Amino acid sequence: MTLRLSTVILPVDRWHEGGRATWQRAEELGFHAAYTYDHLSWRSFRDSPWFGALPTLTAAATATGRIRLGTLVTSPNFRHPVTLAKELISLDDVSGGRVTLGIGAGGNGFDATALGQEPWTPRERADRFAEFVALLDGLLTQDALSQRGDFYSAEEARNVPGCLQRPRLPFAVAATGPRGLRLAAAYGRAWVTTGDPKLYEAGTPEQSVEALRGQIARLGAACAETGRDVADLDKILLTGFTPDRTRPLDSVDAFVDFAGRHRDLGFTDIVVHWPIAGSDFAADQGVFEKIATEAPAQLA
């Protein structure tokens, strides 16, 4: 199985002061896709520059011509399906049909209370996520839709002409729990994971591999429930959150070893963070670019 290599470019640079050049360089290096986080702010970047995901992706769409683009991931924390659908249809059009929507339930980070709401419980996040995904799917596949829900509703929402990609742009559903995995099976073109968060601080790479093996098995079970072949879903690993941390970016050999182990689990896509000096995602830019250009051939 050929393993695809993609990158995440955090929206931390002004567009005319390095932002545009980074997205263009990602395309030049041959990455399959370039994603960005869809947050209002994030962890250690809380008090640093941070730009909006969808405007950034729209600009990236006009600055590139081949690379796929997307969010990794969007969540209901500060989004509504009706307005999000309109923006995604527009972005899909501007990009010439190169957009993937990474989507997840969200968490308790800064986004969770930015609109003045109380943080949702895990149960409420799961309930909202299920309703959010179903309504967004309808909005992106129908010219007009009215639908009432417990959390999200649409009243004669119009989305003509719809997505350039048909029947809609693909969803990459981030999930590890049973309800989220069922949503991935039902609506996803792809499934996304960052690994087992319980292993981040004190786990071992071997424990992480076993945890991911278990997640893929549970994804297979969720697909079987819906009559879908799990092989139909791409399986995306967003790196940087397993016990390995940034070690896979130390050298081409280290990355090939890491990526090969995860390819053998069944992953189709590995996503690495574009280096940011002085952050959790610091890495040698030269080594990073060498990985981008040399590793895929070794993993074919």
Side-chain angles (χ1 to χ4, degrees):
M1 173 176 44
T2 299
L3 187 71
R4 293 183 291 258
L5 181 58
S6 299
T7 190
V8 164
I9 301 170
L10 298 190
V12 297
D13 293 321
R14 290 189 181 278
W15 189 248
H16 297 290
E17 297 175 3
R20 185 211 315 258
T22 299
W23 290 84
Q24 291 175 328
R25 183 59 178 157
E27 182 168 75
E28 291 170 357
L29 289 171
F31 282 110
H32 168 69
Y35 301 96
T36 198
Y37 288 4
D38 188 12
H39 289 293
L40 299 175
S41 60
W42 191 77
R43 297 188 188 181
S44 59
F45 297 90
R46 171 73 162 163
D47 297 314
S48 303
W50 188 276
F51 295 94
L54 296 181
T56 296
L57 289 170
T58 303
T62 66
T64 61
R66 300 181 308 277
I67 194 169
R68 287 199 65 82
L69 307 167
T71 57
L72 213 61
V73 296
T74 292
S75 83
N77 272 354
F78 61 93
R79 296 286 186 188
H80 190 286
V82 170
T83 51
L84 178 61
K86 183 67 69 173
E87 293 179 349
L88 290 172
I89 287 169
S90 303
L91 175 57
D92 196 47
D93 183 66
V94 171
S95 71
R98 291 185 284 134
V99 175
T100 295
L101 178 71
I103 187 167
N108 288 324
F110 304 118
D111 297 341
T113 56
L115 300 186
Q117 75 270 36
E118 292 297 316
W120 301 327
T121 66
R123 173 66 178 272
E124 187 176 5
R125 284 203 305 272
D127 290 343
R128 285 178 174 271
F129 186 42
E131 196 172 289
F132 192 99
V133 173
L135 179 54
L136 187 61
D137 173 71
L139 289 163
L140 292 174
T141 54
Q142 300 179 44
D143 288 346
L145 181 65
S146 294
Q147 185 171 307
R148 305 298 297 180
D150 294 330
F151 305 104
Y152 305 102
S153 298
E155 185 65 33
E156 296 188 13
R158 297 296 200 273
N159 283 306
V160 180
C163 294
L164 198 60
Q165 301 176 83
R166 293 292 180 173
R168 59 160 167 75
L169 55 80
F171 290 177
V173 180
T176 56
R179 294 183 67 186
L181 291 172
R182 286 195 292 271
L183 287 174
Y187 294 99
R189 177 82 61 83
W191 163 70
V192 183
T193 183
T194 57
D196 185 341
K198 295 190 296 294
L199 299 175
Y200 180 76
E201 293 294 339
T204 67
E206 293 75 22
Q207 289 173 323
S208 178
V209 165
E210 288 309 307
L212 288 166
R213 192 190 310 277
Q215 289 181 8
I216 290 177
R218 291 191 292 276
L219 176 67
C223 286
E225 288 179 16
T226 64
R228 186 173 185 186
D229 187 346
V230 69
D232 291 342
L233 271 76
D234 290 336
K235 299 161 191 71
I236 302 171
L237 176 63
L238 174 59
T239 65
F241 304 100
T242 62
D244 306 81
R245 304 291 200 281
T246 60
R247 285 196 294 273
L249 298 182
D250 286 349
S251 68
V252 174
D253 288 345
F255 180 81
V256 169
D257 177 68
F258 171 87
R261 282 185 280 119
H262 292 83
R263 175 199 57 196
D264 293 345
L265 289 177
F267 283 96
T268 59
D269 298 74
I270 300 288
V271 183
V272 293
H273 289 81
W274 195 272
I276 302 176
S279 78
D280 292 342
F281 305 119
D284 184 278
Q285 186 70 32
V287 173
F288 176 83
E289 296 199 3
K290 194 173 182 181
I291 288 169
T293 55
E294 296 183 12
Q298 297 185 41
L299 292 162

